[in-house]
Amino acid sequence: MAQRGNLLETDSPTIILVVGVNGVGKTTTIGKLSAQLKGQGKNVLIAAADTFRAAAIDQVKTWGTRANVEVVSHSEGADPAAVTYDAIQAAKARNTDVLIIDTAGRLHNKANLMKELEKISRIIEREYPEAKRENLLVLDATTGQNAILQAKTFNEATNLTGFILTKLDGDSQGRSRHRPPKGIKCSY
């Protein structure tokens, strides 16, 4: 199991299920995480299980290309659990170290969407029980008290193992408050 706070030192095989509400930066986080894991010599595969948002599959494929990581996808509107199933089979066949599953953003107060996450979790448990599991909730750092309700609800559906905070470098209007000094590369 990964040490808390250091996901990059994860055991193989590992499945990382990434969940959260719309617009928090799940797909961007997946792209950055994929690049970091790939840079450490890990064999990474991404499952494009966000089949509902327009252009979501294309967006995750773009991040996969940037990180030199393969992406398993179906067509828009396909069953996310089916994408997850196919990605697990591909990960096993390719001896993948880390499978990262991109899920559709969903409102935490929509029961049918949370049931879909539970279904994805059941597929993972049934098809790859020997894989280490990370269920990560991505939260916009400017969310406030609503983050507590999100965490409780997503935990009920997926048994969360960690959180990722995004947008720490901006204010509530989306303006950047921090610029790294010239020549310094930041990966946040």
Side-chain angles (χ1 to χ4, degrees), residues 114-131:
M114 298 310 283
K115 294 280 186 207
E116 184 179 275
L117 277 180
E118 292 172 5
K119 181 179 176 184
I120 290 171
S121 282
R122 285 192 307 271
I123 296 285
I124 295 168
E125 290 168 13
R126 184 185 74 214
E127 296 300 322
Y128 214 175
E130 65 273 22

Side-chain angles (χ1 to χ4, degrees), residues 95-153:
N95 292 320
T96 299
D97 296 315
V98 181
L99 170 61
I100 303 174
I101 303 172
D102 184 24
T103 62
R106 56 200 72 233
L107 296 173
H108 54 283
N109 58 359
K110 298 292 185 189
N112 59 330
L113 296 175
M114 298 310 283
K115 294 280 186 207
E116 184 179 275
L117 277 180
E118 292 172 5
K119 181 179 176 184
I120 290 171
S121 282
R122 285 192 307 271
I123 296 285
I124 295 168
E125 290 168 13
R126 184 185 74 214
E127 296 300 322
Y128 214 175
E130 65 273 22
K132 303 295 186 254
R133 239 346 243 286
E134 293 289 344
N135 299 320
L136 303 178
L137 174 62
V138 179
L139 294 166
D140 181 330
T142 63
T143 298
Q145 289 292 318
N146 196 28
I148 296 169
L149 180 58
Q150 289 177 31
K152 286 179 182 177
T153 307

Side-chain angles (χ1 to χ4, degrees), residues 4-22:
R4 293 296 134 224
N6 196 355
L7 190 59
L8 298 179
E9 293 182 8
T10 187
D11 295 331
S12 296
T14 295
I15 294 179
I16 301 172
L17 179 66
V18 181
V19 300
V21 299
N22 294 318

Side-chain angles (χ1 to χ4, degrees), residues 15-96:
I15 294 179
I16 301 172
L17 179 66
V18 181
V19 300
V21 299
N22 294 318
V24 294
K26 290 181 302 299
T27 305
T28 301
T29 298
I30 287 169
K32 291 178 179 184
L33 183 58
S34 296
Q36 288 180 338
L37 289 165
K38 182 79 172 181
Q40 293 210 345
K42 301 278 187 189
N43 182 4
V44 180
L45 183 66
I46 301 172
D50 179 353
T51 59
F52 295 109
R53 184 172 53 89
I57 296 167
D58 291 336
Q59 183 183 13
V60 80
K61 284 181 177 179
T62 298
W63 278 109
T65 300
R66 289 177 185 169
N68 196 25
V69 169
E70 290 187 53
V71 176
V72 173
S73 66
H74 289 193
S75 61
E76 188 175 323
D79 179 7
V83 176
T84 300
Y85 176 86
D86 288 349
I88 289 170
Q89 301 314 311
K92 287 178 175 180
R94 300 172 191 173
N95 292 320
T96 299

